[in-house]
Amino acid sequence: MRAIAREFLDSLAEDERAEAGGVLDDGGFREWKYNPGARPGLRIDALTGVQRELVYALLAAGMSPSGVTTLHSIMELEVPLKAIEKAIDHPRWPIRNPLAYYVRIFGDPTTDSAWAWRFNGHHVGVHFTVVGDEISATPQMFGANPRVHTAPDGSLVRTLAVEEDLGIGLMNDLSADQLVRAQLSADSPWDIASRNDPVVDIDFADRGIRYDELSGAQRDTVNAIIQLYLTRCADPLARQALREIEDAGRDAIRFSWAGPTGQIDNAMMIYYSVSGPTFLLEADRVNGNPNHIHTVWRDLRHDWGTDLLAEHYRTTARIGQLHD
């Protein structure tokens, strides 16, 4: 990952490098968004083909093959979304572009032991923080609009379908008594509750039905949801996150639901979360549009590499004191 980032930065002109760069320990490092529009960083349609392939190689270094495939499918949704919005003369249709995504590198991977990078744009938020040999892979956000559309060949395309189907399937598998404990509201929220907040509200850990109150088959579905979200990133990073979930105790994991129950169709607004002492996963049909979905993985310990950076700065300070 570090070598790819170095090669990418070396390929940039001085002004491009300034546009792509950021300072690791300033407030902007934790500021992010997943709505459309401009943001800090270097937009990838301004890159040469070789430079863009280096960005994609960086994504492949941090993400699994399935995660990269999903990310690119989300970017390509800008094409049908543009057609839908142009047909109704929506004011945003001119900005829809599958290359309107931005790469930004914080710190200097050529010299710094601690650095970070992100790939952001409409419905994509991929963040990696690197401290020595350790890597944080969150926050990680994937969304889709339209989540269901008809391809040019007439086939029906559903993006993030498994994320939706697992949550709906688990809700439908709950007994009436279990559903009372799982359901937060008959109405789904306007968006994922964690939004783009720099720090997640840990009260999520106390919402919904507990893992140890579920049947074996229901627990399998919870585990499948966790596996699906975490394995968007590269295998070593996913395995580390799964180990931490296991170490914290699966019985403390909770599943929550908001929205209607029973038979769910494409016109209904729904929300679910799976959370535990170390993580939060959310999925939500958003903004009053049931054909629009947001999903997110937040790590309650490692978002932005906060704990890794804190230890890095403590160690650096101790070394500095020894040299005084």
Side-chain angles (χ1 to χ4, degrees), residues 238-316:
R239 283 190 279 109
Q240 175 62 31
L242 287 166
R243 276 196 300 270
E244 294 190 4
I245 289 172
E246 199 70 46
D247 291 345
R250 287 190 180 262
D251 285 349
I253 293 171
R254 291 179 182 261
F255 171 76
S256 67
W257 177 267
T261 59
Q263 187 64 37
I264 302 298
D265 63 35
N266 283 329
M268 292 178 175
M269 304 301 298
I270 61 169
Y271 167 90
Y272 76 81
S273 71
V274 175
S275 60
T278 66
F279 73 101
L280 168 67
L281 312 175
E282 296 184 274
D284 187 40
R285 293 181 184 174
V286 300
N287 296 343
N289 177 4
N291 204 26
H292 185 172
I293 185 172
H294 291 171
T295 71
V296 73
W297 167 28
R298 302 295 300 261
D299 191 309
L300 304 183
R301 297 177 180 175
H302 303 312
D303 268 4
W304 315 110
T306 300
D307 58 333
L308 302 178
L309 289 172
E311 178 58 30
H312 167 73
Y313 293 137
R314 282 194 296 269
T315 301
T316 303

Side-chain angles (χ1 to χ4, degrees), residues 167-205:
I168 293 170
L170 179 54
M171 179 276 294
N172 279 323
D173 198 31
L174 297 177
S175 68
D177 178 63
Q178 288 176 314
L179 193 53
V180 168
R181 283 171 276 167
Q183 190 175 21
L184 306 177
S185 169
D187 299 314
S188 68
W190 187 253
D191 196 357
I192 50 176
S194 58
R195 301 178 302 277
N196 60 338
D197 293 349
V199 180
V200 175
D201 182 353
I202 61 172
D203 287 345
F204 276 101

Side-chain angles (χ1 to χ4, degrees), residues 12-241:
L12 301 177
E14 186 175 347
D15 60 332
E16 292 174 321
R17 186 160 180 155
E19 193 173 356
V23 179
L24 186 60
D25 53 1
D26 73 2
F29 171 52
R30 293 175 177 81
E31 292 177 0
W32 66 294
K33 60 182 182 178
Y34 43 79
N35 58 315
R39 64 208 69 206
L42 197 57
R43 191 163 134 158
I44 65 170
D45 59 358
L47 302 175
T48 67
V50 171
Q51 291 168 334
R52 197 176 304 143
E53 287 304 314
L54 286 170
V55 173
Y56 293 158
L58 197 55
L59 287 167
M63 305 189 72
S64 67
S66 63
V68 170
T69 298
T70 301
L71 184 149
H72 282 291
S73 71
I74 291 166
M75 293 168 64
E76 288 301 320
L77 288 178
E78 295 296 286
V79 176
L81 180 58
K82 183 169 190 169
I84 291 168
E85 293 184 337
K86 186 176 182 180
I88 61 173
D89 199 27
H90 191 288
R92 273 185 171 169
W93 78 260
I95 72 169
R96 303 303 184 185
N97 182 340
L99 294 179
Y101 289 81
Y102 295 74
V103 62
R104 197 172 186 204
I105 296 178
F106 297 85
D108 187 349
T110 65
T111 59
D112 297 342
S113 60
W115 61 285
W117 66 275
R118 70 171 50 160
F119 186 82
N120 279 145
H122 188 209
H123 286 151
V124 171
V126 175
H127 306 85
F128 290 90
T129 307
V130 183
V131 180
D133 294 328
E134 297 187 86
I135 301 173
S136 162
T138 57
Q140 186 188 103
M141 188 276 176
F142 281 177
N145 182 18
R147 66 176 185 82
V148 183
H149 74 281
T150 303
D153 64 3
S155 62
L156 196 66
V157 179
R158 290 183 64 209
T159 305
L160 303 175
V162 181
E163 286 84 346
E164 272 208 324
D165 291 346
L166 286 172
I168 293 170
L170 179 54
M171 179 276 294
N172 279 323
D173 198 31
L174 297 177
S175 68
D177 178 63
Q178 288 176 314
L179 193 53
V180 168
R181 283 171 276 167
Q183 190 175 21
L184 306 177
S185 169
D187 299 314
S188 68
W190 187 253
D191 196 357
I192 50 176
S194 58
R195 301 178 302 277
N196 60 338
D197 293 349
V199 180
V200 175
D201 182 353
I202 61 172
D203 287 345
F204 276 101
D206 297 321
R207 296 168 20 138
I209 186 169
R210 285 174 56 98
Y211 186 88
D212 57 7
E213 297 174 313
L214 300 174
S215 70
Q218 292 165 344
R219 293 180 187 184
D220 288 345
T221 304
V222 169
N223 294 335
I225 292 171
I226 295 170
Q227 187 81 14
L228 179 65
Y229 281 70
L230 271 57
T231 55
R232 292 171 177 172
C233 69
D235 183 63
L237 304 177
R239 283 190 279 109
Q240 175 62 31

